[in-house]
Amino acid sequence: MDKPLTPAALVLGAFLAGGLGFIGHSITEAATNLKALDRTVSVKGLAEQEVMANVAIWPVRFAEVDNDLASLYNTVQQKTDKVVAFLKAQGFSDDEITLTTPAIEDRSTQGYSDPNLKYRYAARVTVSLYTHQVDKLLQARKHIGVLARDGIAIGGNEYESRSEFLFTELNRIKPAMVQQATENAREVAEKFARDSSSSLGKIKTASQGQFIITDRDSNSPHIKNVRIVSTVTYYLTD
């Protein structure tokens, strides 16, 4: 015959039953919370801005030919001085102008004889301008024709003769653009949450994309388009 349970055993059983019930409830609640944490939405935020280039590089190139090497050097020096004088007249300083050694080619050493070749020596000259005065450079290019009156034909169609424009002040606009991209991403996420009858929670992860700088168009390389796309993942709640 079974012995009746003592009061102490009854109390112990009640505690065990209550503890197991609490544990079961806690597990259920934890599973529910875990499932809620799995509900996320990933969105991308875009920020774009047009800026003016702050650095300009202009390689002013011309060529000269002659059959006498000494005469060629003299002509090259005279025309180089005229190019430098032109740039200074446009408001540029010596610090912004760089002279390179002329590239002299002796065509008679090329291993073949061209009967139509009139000049033995050919020189290619580059006077480089590196400046932060972008507006002045744009204006100076419009007046380059004055050098033609001095017998200096400036190459302008070759790829190596094209002006180059750079934007090097990204750190100045970066914080505002990152904020704009993040705000844009949140707007998209909030709309998604409303459409799905949810509420937007905290940020789970955020990834800042690379800044991309491109010319606005082929005719305005001095105007740059700066672009960034950030990716943000938010939690969703009921």
Side-chain angles (χ1 to χ4, degrees):
M1 186 173 182
D2 295 334
K3 295 182 179 180
L5 294 176
T6 63
L10 291 173
V11 172
L12 179 60
F15 273 114
L16 288 174
L20 291 174
F22 176 77
I23 292 174
H25 173 73
S26 298
I27 293 175
T28 302
E29 184 177 5
T32 302
N33 291 337
L34 184 60
K35 183 177 180 181
L37 290 177
D38 286 340
R39 295 179 57 207
T40 59
V41 56
S42 293
V43 293
K44 294 184 181 297
L46 170 66
E48 287 185 302
Q49 184 174 340
E50 279 191 3
V51 296
M52 182 71 132
N54 66 300
V55 173
I57 305 170
W58 185 17
V60 184
R61 303 178 187 272
F62 66 92
E64 192 65 33
V65 293
D66 205 313
N67 281 318
D68 182 81
L69 190 57
S71 174
L72 179 64
Y73 269 108
N74 288 334
T75 303
V76 164
Q77 185 61 58
Q78 292 173 9
K79 292 189 174 182
T80 299
D81 292 342
K82 290 180 179 179
V83 172
V84 172
F86 165 78
L87 293 176
K88 289 185 177 180
Q90 300 302 313
F92 301 107
S93 66
D94 288 327
D95 293 338
E96 297 171 296
I97 302 171
T98 302
L99 304 180
T100 59
T101 303
I104 306 296
E105 177 187 3
D106 185 350
R107 297 174 177 177
S108 67
T109 63
Q110 294 180 348
Y112 62 91
S113 178
D114 185 351
N116 298 317
L117 187 63
K118 295 178 60 176
Y119 299 100
R120 175 178 176 179
Y121 300 105
R124 293 186 178 276
V125 185
T126 302
V127 179
S128 296
L129 179 68
Y130 182 98
T131 181
H132 291 276
Q133 303 181 86
V134 177
D135 289 335
K136 279 189 177 181
L137 184 145
L138 294 173
Q139 290 299 317
R141 291 196 310 176
K142 297 178 181 179
H143 303 294
I144 195 68
V146 301
L147 291 175
R149 293 198 293 265
D150 290 328
I152 305 175
I154 301 299
N157 295 325
E158 302 89 347
Y159 178 79
E160 293 181 350
S161 299
R162 295 179 182 176
S163 300
E164 183 179 2
F165 298 91
L166 308 174
F167 179 70
T168 63
E169 298 179 343
L170 183 59
N171 287 338
R172 176 174 59 83
I173 64 173
K174 184 184 292 186
M177 289 194 66
V178 171
Q179 180 180 352
Q180 181 184 349
T182 303
E183 291 174 351
N184 179 257
R186 186 173 184 86
E187 289 178 5
V188 176
E190 287 177 340
K191 184 178 186 308
F192 179 89
R194 289 194 301 269
D195 293 344
S196 61
S197 300
S198 303
S199 298
L200 200 64
K202 296 181 178 180
I203 293 177
K204 179 182 180 182
T205 59
S207 174
Q208 176 188 306
Q210 290 186 339
F211 280 87
I212 300 175
I213 303 176
T214 58
D215 296 343
R216 187 187 67 178
D217 56 73
S218 59
N219 295 320
S220 306
H222 57 285
I223 302 177
K224 303 296 182 180
N225 182 64
V226 185
R227 187 175 190 268
I228 181 177
V229 177
S230 295
T231 303
V232 185
T233 300
Y234 290 92
Y235 288 111
L236 292 176
T237 60
D238 291 330

